Amino acid sequence: MSKKTIVWFRQDLRVADNPALNEAAERGDVLPILIVDETDQDMALRGTARAVWLHHSLLALDKKLGGHLQVFAGDPEQILLAVAAENGADAVFWNRCYTPHRIIADKQIKQFLSERDLAARSFNGSLLWEPWQVLKKDKTPYKVFTPFYKKGCLSAQAPRATVAAPSDISFVGEASDQSMIDGLELLPRHDWAAKMMADWQPGEQGAREAWAQFADNGLMGYKNGRNFPAKANVSRLSPHLAFGEISPHQIWAALEHQPQNEDVAHFRSELAWREFSAYLLYHFPTLPFENFNSKFDQMPWQIDQTALEKWQRGQTGIPIVDAGMRELWQTGYMHNRVRMIVASFLTKNLGVDWREGAKWFEHCLVDADYANNRASWQWVAGSGADAAPYFRVFNPVLQAEKFDPLGAYIRTFVPEIAELPNKFLGKPFEAPAQVLADAGLELGIAYPHPIVDLKQSRNRALAAYQTMRGQDMVEPA
């Protein structure tokens, strides 16, 4: 009699390079399942952009699995036990997750299953290097990216080889329709997501096409072009990586077939930043909600709900900030350079706690990876590991002039100021009355006045940091 294995899908919604699936297929019959566990931070999806993505990604995965994917919502322990008993399965395989909640839960589930004579095995399907394998000579974790990557990762064992999709999978039971996926009710009752999803193709095939598009059209010139939001030098692979529709191992291996130049090297380092975020969260599990640098516990964050809501809606009166926040709301995505700009504006110009920004991003982003998001917000705020210096306050006007010089990005998402000349597009509040009139723009009516003075708010931020640190602040030359 063939052995039956449950393959528990989580952040690995693909068939190729899926170690758990491959091991199960070699062992015997396969029963693929996914469980939405709302007690898990990574699966608390209701009402978010990620929930919409997950719905479509599950449809794509189910199609790849010939309609055999079963989906559930609830307690994983009880669901796994019940499914195993109902189908005569004697093992449960899954690919590891690295958030604190899942590490604890997975250990408990392994013990729970083992005590009931069910084999439980986990595999690495989502990280190039296991977090416990990359340590300093004194066996402590790295806190700075460059030595983590160059001394830790690149000198460690090379990432594992990719594995092809199983050539033939023998499934347990009969195929079913998509009603189980619909039953999860991941889609909103009011279809606000239709426009957002128009430019995305969730699923493994969509991930492959996104990689091919980037490799052909965006990788060359990536190192510099990635900073310009109107250029095509971004991969848009982040949601596919977040849901495991493509593995970092597949991308790492594909890069070996590209010309080995500064663009490829820089893209590899960006993959390593993803690793670094997961690594930090593994070794420092309070990272998502506590300041990595405890000095920031004394930071006098402002409580300004009105300002926060204007930032969320893209109504700050600062065009590059508003363009980014509107791109986020409309598309479920934001260009990485702009993410830094809007985060700096919220935490430094508005003085709002970085955790508020992190929560909004997790609500709106289709690629909201818990580790990446929280580590990145701390980095910009200055409280994180290897963080941007406390005195680094992005000037959004200068950022717009440097990285959106022709205004293509701002005009796309802030069309009400599109008729302004490039000189004033990033700073309509400095435009002469006649220039505003010629553009048909009345500030305070069609587009808001700035909700904060950039220079004054920057000085307030520096003063707050100085007070927090208890010493004089010296800016870099």
Side-chain angles (χ1 to χ4, degrees):
M1 181 180 294
S2 177
K3 295 181 179 180
K4 298 178 181 179
T5 308
I6 295 172
V7 175
W8 180 18
F9 283 88
R10 284 109 64 89
Q11 289 173 291
D12 54 348
L13 307 184
R14 63 183 185 275
V15 175
D17 196 44
N18 189 315
L21 178 62
N22 276 76
E23 290 289 332
E26 288 185 10
R27 186 173 185 268
D29 297 338
V30 173
L31 175 55
I33 74 169
L34 178 131
I35 303 169
V36 174
D37 176 10
E38 291 287 358
T39 68
D40 185 339
Q41 178 66 42
D42 283 338
M43 293 299 284
L45 297 163
R46 304 294 178 186
T48 67
R50 292 184 71 240
V52 178
W53 187 287
L54 178 61
H55 174 88
H56 293 290
S57 187
L58 290 178
L59 292 179
L61 177 62
D62 186 45
K63 185 176 180 180
K64 279 275 189 180
L65 295 171
H68 289 275
L69 179 66
Q70 296 188 28
V71 299
F72 304 89
D75 177 13
E77 276 189 3
Q78 298 304 318
I79 290 171
L80 290 169
L81 184 62
V83 171
E86 182 180 345
N87 293 276
D90 65 341
V92 183
F93 290 179
W94 65 81
N95 293 311
R96 285 188 282 276
C97 296
Y98 299 86
T99 54
H101 173 92
R102 285 189 171 180
I103 292 170
I104 294 170
D106 285 2
K107 288 180 179 178
Q108 294 174 343
I109 290 170
K110 277 189 177 181
Q111 180 177 348
F112 176 83
L113 296 175
S114 297
E115 290 172 351
R116 288 153 181 82
D117 297 321
L118 289 168
R121 293 182 60 195
S122 62
F123 305 84
N124 177 10
S126 62
L127 290 180
L128 295 167
W129 297 278
E130 296 284 22
W132 53 85
Q133 293 178 334
V134 181
L135 298 170
K136 294 188 290 186
K137 290 182 179 180
D138 62 1
K139 302 304 180 182
T140 61
Y142 290 95
K143 296 181 181 180
V144 178
F145 172 74
T146 298
F148 161 78
Y149 180 44
K150 293 186 175 180
K151 294 182 179 180
C153 297
L154 294 184
S155 63
Q157 183 176 354
R160 64 163 176 80
T162 59
V163 292
S167 57
D168 184 32
I169 303 177
S170 175
F171 292 102
V172 176
E174 300 297 323
S176 60
D177 59 29
Q178 69 179 51
S179 60
M180 293 184 73
I181 296 172
D182 292 337
L184 293 175
E185 297 183 343
L186 295 168
L187 295 179
R189 294 182 180 179
H190 303 289
D191 193 11
W192 49 260
K195 183 178 180 180
M196 179 186 76
M197 297 305 297
D199 294 329
W200 295 106
Q201 183 186 347
E204 189 169 6
Q205 183 59 35
R208 289 178 178 175
E209 292 181 10
W211 162 252
Q213 173 70 19
F214 173 63
D216 291 342
N217 301 296
L219 184 54
M220 182 178 294
Y222 172 79
K223 182 178 180 180
N224 294 316
R226 63 185 293 273
N227 286 303
F228 294 81
K231 290 188 175 183
N233 297 105
V234 290
S235 72
R236 292 174 66 87
L237 284 166
S238 52
H240 300 292
L241 279 165
F243 284 91
E245 298 164 351
I246 191 171
S247 74
H249 305 84
Q250 290 172 298
I251 299 172
W252 194 268
L255 288 169
E256 294 294 331
H257 301 288
Q258 299 290 326
Q260 300 305 297
N261 54 34
E262 65 175 8
D263 295 316
V264 168
H266 200 83
F267 189 72
R268 279 201 187 95
S269 74
E270 290 301 310
L271 285 176
W273 268 104
R274 175 182 179 272
E275 296 276 319
F276 189 47
S277 295
Y279 176 89
L280 289 173
L281 182 55
Y282 176 84
H283 288 288
F284 306 100
T286 62
L287 176 74
F289 48 87
E290 291 184 5
N291 293 309
F292 191 83
N293 181 347
S294 61
K295 289 183 178 180
F296 277 75
D297 293 345
Q298 307 304 316
M299 174 58 64
W301 299 114
Q302 301 298 310
I303 302 174
D304 190 339
Q305 189 64 30
T306 299
L308 175 62
E309 289 177 0
K310 289 182 177 180
W311 174 83
Q312 291 171 338
R313 297 197 308 267
Q315 293 291 333
T316 68
I318 309 297
I320 190 69
V321 173
D322 293 339
M325 299 309 296
R326 295 182 195 187
E327 180 189 22
L328 173 63
W329 185 255
Q330 294 171 25
T331 71
Y333 177 83
M334 191 190 300
H335 187 277
N336 189 62
R337 165 63 58 172
V338 185
R339 294 188 198 203
M340 293 189 289
I341 296 170
V342 304
S344 176
F345 182 81
L346 181 71
T347 57
K348 297 177 179 178
N349 295 100
L350 298 183
V352 174
D353 193 322
W354 60 266
R355 283 159 281 229
E356 293 295 332
K359 286 189 292 186
W360 185 249
F361 270 29
E362 283 158 5
H363 178 76
C364 297
L365 283 170
V366 293
D367 66 3
D369 176 276
Y370 196 49
N372 280 356
N373 186 51
R374 296 287 170 145
S376 296
W377 271 95
Q378 289 227 49
W379 185 89
V380 175
S383 61
D386 198 14
Y390 53 86
F391 46 71
R392 186 180 187 186
V393 181
F394 283 88
N395 183 315
V397 172
L398 297 181
Q399 290 286 308
E401 291 173 348
K402 183 175 182 179
F403 296 112
D404 190 31
L406 300 181
Y409 180 74
I410 289 176
R411 286 187 172 93
T412 297
F413 294 103
V414 193
E416 60 267 42
I417 65 171
E419 297 304 316
L420 282 174
N422 291 343
K423 180 179 179 180
F424 295 106
L425 191 63
K427 49 183 179 182
F429 44 88
E430 292 187 11
Q434 189 57 54
V435 172
L436 292 173
D438 291 345
L441 178 63
E442 185 175 355
L443 291 181
I445 304 297
Y447 186 69
H449 293 287
I451 63 173
V452 67
D453 181 277
L454 293 176
K455 183 176 181 180
Q456 292 177 3
S457 60
R458 178 181 184 276
N459 290 337
R460 282 198 301 270
L462 295 180
Y465 285 124
Q466 182 175 332
T467 300
M468 178 198 73
R469 291 171 62 86
Q471 61 187 51
D472 291 336
M473 180 132 351
V474 178
E475 291 202 52

